[in-house]
Amino acid sequence: MKRFLPGAPVVRVADLRRLDPMGRQRALEAAASQLLALVTLPFTHPGVPRPPEWTQLLGLTFLLASCVITLHTWRSIVGYAGRAGGRADLRLREQARNERRLRRAALIYPIVTLVLLPLPPTWRWLWFTLTVVSAVLGAIALYRLPRSLPPAG
């Protein structure tokens, strides 16, 4: 199998099953941001006279889906702490940190969606910049994903 980045480890679906719910959410959002950028960047760059409406709808759908995934992960994090191995104090600290992140994201996603909803399509630079930033952050998250995998076994 030829690798896109030589030296980068390959992550398989079986590896993703070893992640905790927070790690799976990060991997899913990172992969979705790459797909979103791949589909929408050709239509949202500043050289396009007027971007199609579906690109904005797809971006807003991505935000709403991320909010739903965040709420689902938040719900599953509460029950996951008892199943994880390791020391209880470290598990509780990790769970509290994950819950804070998820609570913050659950508040930010709807606010960002409401702010972006009436945004005119003539603001091409903003849509283009948001798409590029989400693609870059998603690529960084996917690149760091193999290091966050727990050891096999």
Side-chain angles (χ1 to χ4, degrees):
M1 178 156 115
K2 188 172 181 171
R3 295 181 184 177
F4 183 68
L5 291 172
V10 176
V11 177
R12 295 177 179 79
V13 175
D15 296 334
L16 295 178
R17 291 185 186 134
R18 294 192 331 242
L19 287 172
D20 62 337
M22 190 74 183
R24 284 193 294 270
Q25 179 201 5
R26 281 192 301 255
L28 180 65
E29 284 183 352
S33 72
Q34 297 301 298
L35 185 62
L36 177 72
L38 179 72
V39 171
T40 60
L41 270 180
F43 301 101
T44 59
H45 65 84
V48 174
R50 183 172 171 92
E53 295 288 325
W54 63 265
T55 56
Q56 290 183 5
L57 290 174
L58 196 59
L60 290 172
T61 304
F62 172 75
L63 278 173
L64 290 174
S66 294
C67 183
V68 169
I69 290 170
T70 297
L71 292 174
H72 174 72
T73 305
W74 190 3
R75 190 185 67 159
S76 64
I77 283 281
V78 173
Y80 188 77
R83 290 182 280 157
R87 292 181 24 202
D89 59 336
L90 295 178
R91 283 195 327 252
L92 289 175
R93 188 176 312 134
E94 181 71 22
Q95 181 181 0
R97 185 172 47 236
N98 287 339
E99 284 187 35
R100 275 194 305 273
R101 288 179 190 158
L102 292 169
R103 189 178 323 122
R104 195 175 328 137
L107 290 173
I108 289 174
Y109 280 135
I111 292 171
V112 169
T113 303
L114 288 175
V115 167
L116 293 179
L117 196 56
L119 196 63
T122 55
W123 291 15
R124 289 180 294 251
W125 276 103
L126 180 66
W127 284 111
F128 178 73
T129 304
L130 286 175
T131 306
V132 168
V133 166
S134 72
V136 168
L137 292 175
I140 290 170
L142 285 176
Y143 183 75
R144 293 178 56 184
L145 180 67
R147 283 184 258 159
S148 66
L149 287 172

